[in-house]
Amino acid sequence: MILVTGGAGFIGANFVLDWLAGADEGVVNLDKLTYAGNLDTLRGIAADPRHVFVEGDIGDRKLVADLLAQYRPRAIVNLAAESHVDRSIDSPEEFIQTNIVGTFRLLEAVRAYWSGLDADDKAAFRFLHVSTDEVYGDLDKNAPAFSETNRYEPNSPYSASKAASDHLVRSYHHTYGLPVLTTNCSNNYGPYHFPEKLIPLVIHNALAGKQLPIYGDGQQIRDWLYVKDHCSAIRRVLEAGRVGETYNVGGWNEKSNLEVVHTLCAILDELKPRGDGATYASQITFVKDRPGHDRRYAIDAGKLANELDWKPAETFDTGIRKTVQWYLDHQEWVGNVTSGAYQHWVGKQYGS
Ligand code: NAD
Ligand code: DAU
């Protein structure tokens, strides 16, 4: 069995669904069900005996210790986190609690469990920590893409909290010998993405006839990776990654935000044209920039490609089209997650 944390969130749920579709090994899924966690996403495996869902906090030492003792997982994949940069600017406290204190407590519980394993199980055990390219900070326009040896220069409370968690994970390997792996991935997109993030927000707002908010000049650059390709990279690193190493994961898809939004509008114009014949791009609105907004991220995923022979299955063109189609086909899921607390966040972040 493996223990996945944060498995009701965007990447975690995709990871659990893909894992169970591709292997018979069971999953214990520990998730606090914050605003970002959604059991609706896991509805298809609700009755699957290979999936055990536990509502709880990675920072709850006793709960985690009990789960480890009961299920004796051979590996942990840590995806639980507060993940939204804008929320970290608005209220950083939860990011410190979950991403730093929570990861620390999880590591402590795992260290105690791992120390008690017999020699073979100890050697085979893995703690895989899922992190982000944002820990490397802002990249100059013409600088080479981030490699694993780039300095950590986090610029938001979110990325600083993720950087801190990465350092803790690293230290548990160097100090205690815990067999850890860390992945630093670029921006994901795809099914079950909560519509607070750029791509699902734009699709959702476009269909609702609302403004498509572009922060600042929209020339900020991100590297985009289809979520299922991120999941395949995590599985590959878990399977064959060298203990103690970090692996950058990316899609070789650098795009400006404006380019991404225009692409979404063009696909929507084709698949679900507006009733009045106008393009969705007419809904684009430039709004106040994000404080401390990093201009560019870019990932060099060469180490993962060369050492572990991983490459993404989707190009940006194929992945983004699948994503738009998924949202058009799953409006009920979107409706469920955009009620209640979501409205409060949108009002606070974008005004009326
Ligand atoms: P998400 O916000 O969609 O999901 C996070 C999940 O963690 C939610 O289900 C939430 O309920 C759960 N959670 C939060 N606090 C918890 C706690 N204290 N205990 C247990 N569960 C808790 O995030 P995501 O986009 O799926 O990101 C998953 C991980 O991948 C994060 O660590 C994030 O930093 C990292 N990451 C995300 C991206 C991206 O583009 N989304 C890119 C690179 C790395
Ligand atoms: O790079 C990896 C990171 O990608 C992950 O670590 C984070 O968890 C994930 O949320 C994501 O962070 P970003 O800040 O890049 O994602 P977001 O979708 O919030 O924003 C993408 C870009 O779009 C960013 O430059 C800000 C901009 N943006 C975002 C929103 C929500 C807008 O212009 N308008 C918006 O309304």
Side-chain angles (χ1 to χ4, degrees):
M1 210 154 205
I2 64 165
L3 171 67
V4 173
T5 72
F10 165 47
I11 302 171
N14 275 286
F15 181 80
V16 170
L17 293 170
D18 287 4
W19 181 273
L20 292 176
D24 279 333
E25 191 175 17
V27 175
V28 180
N29 183 349
L30 172 63
D31 194 295
K32 190 176 168 183
L33 293 182
T34 67
Y35 77 91
N38 187 1
L39 282 181
D40 209 20
T41 309
L42 301 169
R43 201 192 295 171
I45 52 169
D48 189 328
R50 297 171 303 161
H51 179 236
V52 179
F53 182 81
V54 180
E55 183 175 349
D57 194 322
I58 56 166
D60 182 339
R61 289 171 207 245
K62 178 163 183 334
L63 173 66
V64 176
D66 288 349
L67 288 177
L68 294 172
Q70 183 178 353
Y71 293 104
R72 309 200 61 74
R74 67 164 181 95
I76 318 279
V77 179
N78 183 31
L79 288 137
E82 289 293 335
S83 69
H84 189 32
V85 174
D86 293 319
R87 287 184 193 254
S88 85
I89 294 165
D90 181 67
S91 39
E93 175 83 29
E94 274 308 307
F95 289 73
I96 308 304
Q97 285 309 326
T98 284
N99 299 0
I100 305 180
V101 179
T103 303
F104 159 68
R105 291 191 182 147
L106 178 66
L107 282 165
E108 275 294 88
V110 171
R111 178 166 76 91
Y113 163 72
W114 171 77
S115 304
L117 295 177
D118 66 34
D120 286 350
D121 288 347
K122 236 175 147 172
F125 186 82
R126 295 290 182 269
F127 182 99
L128 191 151
H129 178 62
V130 177
S131 191
T132 170
D133 60 357
E134 300 206 10
V135 297
Y136 299 121
D138 204 2
L139 196 59
D140 284 344
K141 203 167 178 219
N142 299 313
F146 299 130
S147 81
E148 290 79 359
T149 54
N150 269 66
R151 247 174 66 171
Y152 270 35
E153 293 181 344
N155 287 323
S156 71
Y158 163 69
S159 55
S161 67
K162 289 297 290 185
S165 68
D166 294 7
H167 292 325
L168 283 167
V169 170
R170 175 190 162 89
S171 78
Y172 272 62
H173 174 61
H174 283 264
T175 305
Y176 304 113
L178 190 70
V180 307
L181 298 155
T182 298
T183 54
N184 293 88
C185 189
S186 59
N187 283 60
N188 286 212
Y189 66 97
Y192 305 113
H193 204 182
F194 193 68
E196 64 182 352
K197 309 280 169 62
L198 181 70
I199 287 179
L201 179 98
V202 164
I203 298 171
H204 178 58
N205 281 13
L207 295 173
K210 294 184 182 160
Q211 294 179 345
L212 312 182
I214 307 277
Y215 296 163
D217 61 6
Q219 293 308 320
Q220 303 83 3
I221 289 170
R222 299 289 182 265
D223 168 67
W224 293 95
L225 181 68
Y226 191 62
V227 64
K228 288 178 185 302
D229 284 326
H230 187 191
C231 295
S232 78
I234 296 171
R235 289 197 303 274
R236 186 69 190 128
V237 172
L238 187 62
E239 180 183 37
R242 282 185 293 135
V243 164
E245 291 291 315
T246 66
Y247 293 90
N248 281 356
V249 187
W252 308 100
N253 286 312
E254 280 189 62
K255 308 266 174 222
S256 74
N257 293 336
L258 205 50
E259 201 180 341
V260 168
V261 174
H262 274 293
T263 301
L264 290 169
C265 291
I267 298 173
L268 281 168
D269 284 342
E270 181 192 326
L271 298 182
K272 180 102 180 155
R274 272 176 40 153
D276 62 1
T279 167
Y280 287 99
S282 62
Q283 291 167 229
I284 289 175
T285 310
F286 290 87
V287 301
K288 190 160 76 67
D289 207 354
R290 171 186 281 174
H293 199 171
D294 287 336
R295 293 292 290 182
R296 178 177 170 233
Y297 305 136
I299 275 281
D300 177 351
K303 179 176 171 182
L304 184 55
N306 298 333
E307 270 189 27
L308 303 183
D309 201 22
W310 172 88
K311 60 176 189 316
E314 302 292 341
T315 63
F316 186 72
D317 288 347
T318 60
I320 200 71
R321 187 167 277 274
K322 278 186 182 175
T323 302
V324 174
Q325 190 64 58
W326 186 91
Y327 278 90
L328 290 173
D329 294 342
H330 292 81
Q331 283 296 297
E332 193 189 332
W333 181 90
V334 177
N336 290 342
V337 302
T338 52
S339 56
Y342 177 79
Q343 301 299 338
H344 177 71
W345 165 254
V346 168
K348 196 169 174 189
Q349 176 70 2
Y350 301 98
S352 58

